[in-house]
Amino acid sequence: MKRVERDEQKRIQLNVLSRFMEICEKHQLKYSVAGGTLIGTIRHKGYIPWDDDIDIHMPRRDYDRFVQLYKEQYNDGKIKIIDRDTEKKYHMNFAKLHDTSTVLREKKVIDRYAMLYGIYIDIFPLDYVSKNESDRKKFLKKNYYALKIITMNVINLDVPHKRKIMAYIYNSLWYILKLVPLSILTGIEEKKIRKYSEANMDSGYLRELAFGDLNCDYVFYESDFSSYIIKKFENLDVRVPIGYDRVLRCQYGDYMQLPSESERINHGLDVYYVEG
């Protein structure tokens, strides 16, 4: 297969993002760029120089509406959606929009789960979390370890834990859970996430729960996403949340400061054009 070079990867990925934004505009769906993409937008007016992905946040209601609309009306072209319902070997509780003329594999992915999708953008739902710090941290830790155990079925890794006995228990579970289909495991965790979010809809606090994060100390305010402003990302005008500075500072600290060379990592993607 012919390799897709880095500049072409970005061009294709920006085309996927443009398609996503076009549909959101048409159906009046809320979204904003997120994570490293949000840092890149503010600090570089485009990609972080060593980065290779695009992340999106959507309120859960808008996320569900987008996924449903795309499957019903737009999933017959070159740019398709993949989630736990469209692909049984997909192990994540968030959707990717990907270019089917390409295929890729990521670092450490076990062969039978590799090359399920092409160049993509990640679309993360934002869920509600409790106002009570103790309750919130308890759920976030359980959420993190549950998603890590699921990921262990797809990627060669160990679950870290400061207590050795807990690390042993979690890693031992991997051998048992290898016997359970991924779709069942992701389905169980998604039900937990949705139930928890619905129980805390009046909190005004949000987190990204579909991708576990062991940093339990921060929350987003719903007001951070009450409106959006337009910023330049490469050749596109993208939405950033009105509270982007607080969002980035609580998640990353001084996000305008460049990280050390050792921390400048990417996904290590091997990307190819699909033959035929």
Side-chain angles (χ1 to χ4, degrees), residues 41-193:
T41 302
I42 303 302
R43 195 170 67 199
H44 304 278
K45 296 182 173 59
Y47 286 95
I48 294 174
W50 53 89
D51 203 7
D52 56 8
D53 71 345
I54 289 178
D55 297 325
I56 299 293
H57 276 157
M58 299 186 82
R60 171 65 73 172
R61 182 179 298 177
D62 295 84
Y63 170 88
D64 287 343
R65 180 66 176 144
F66 175 82
V67 171
Q68 179 185 359
L69 277 168
Y70 206 91
K71 289 177 181 177
E72 292 175 352
Q73 299 182 28
Y74 302 104
N75 218 29
D76 56 354
K78 187 177 78 167
I79 298 174
K80 294 190 175 182
I81 201 164
I82 182 171
D83 67 2
R84 54 175 297 274
D85 294 321
T86 63
E87 173 55 63
K88 291 182 179 180
K89 292 182 179 180
Y90 186 73
H91 72 286
M92 289 167 275
N93 285 84
F94 58 89
K96 293 178 183 285
L97 202 62
H98 72 111
D99 182 289
T100 60
S101 70
T102 62
V103 66
L104 60 84
R105 70 176 304 156
E106 303 189 49
K107 292 178 182 176
K108 299 182 180 179
V109 175
I110 297 169
D111 282 346
R112 69 176 180 273
Y113 296 112
M115 305 178 84
L116 294 180
Y117 42 81
I119 293 171
Y120 62 83
I121 64 172
D122 285 324
I123 309 171
F124 298 102
L126 285 173
D127 288 293
Y128 291 99
V129 293
S130 174
K131 280 185 177 180
N132 182 281
E133 184 178 8
S134 176
D135 173 78
R136 184 171 68 245
K137 287 186 175 182
K138 183 178 179 181
F139 180 85
L140 290 172
K141 286 180 180 179
K142 287 182 177 179
N143 171 247
Y144 170 81
Y145 286 114
L147 292 175
K148 279 298 180 187
I149 290 170
I150 293 171
T151 302
M152 287 169 65
N153 284 269
V154 177
I155 299 175
N156 292 314
L157 55 77
D158 290 332
V159 172
H161 200 286
K162 60 184 178 182
R163 294 172 59 190
K164 289 185 178 180
I165 185 63
M166 292 305 296
Y168 173 78
I169 291 171
Y170 280 120
N171 288 295
S172 296
L173 279 173
W174 177 70
Y175 293 97
I176 299 171
L177 293 178
K178 281 181 70 175
L179 305 174
V180 183
L182 276 178
S183 57
I184 292 177
L185 297 177
T186 55
I188 290 171
E189 193 57 28
E190 181 160 323
K191 285 180 181 178
K192 291 179 183 177
I193 289 170

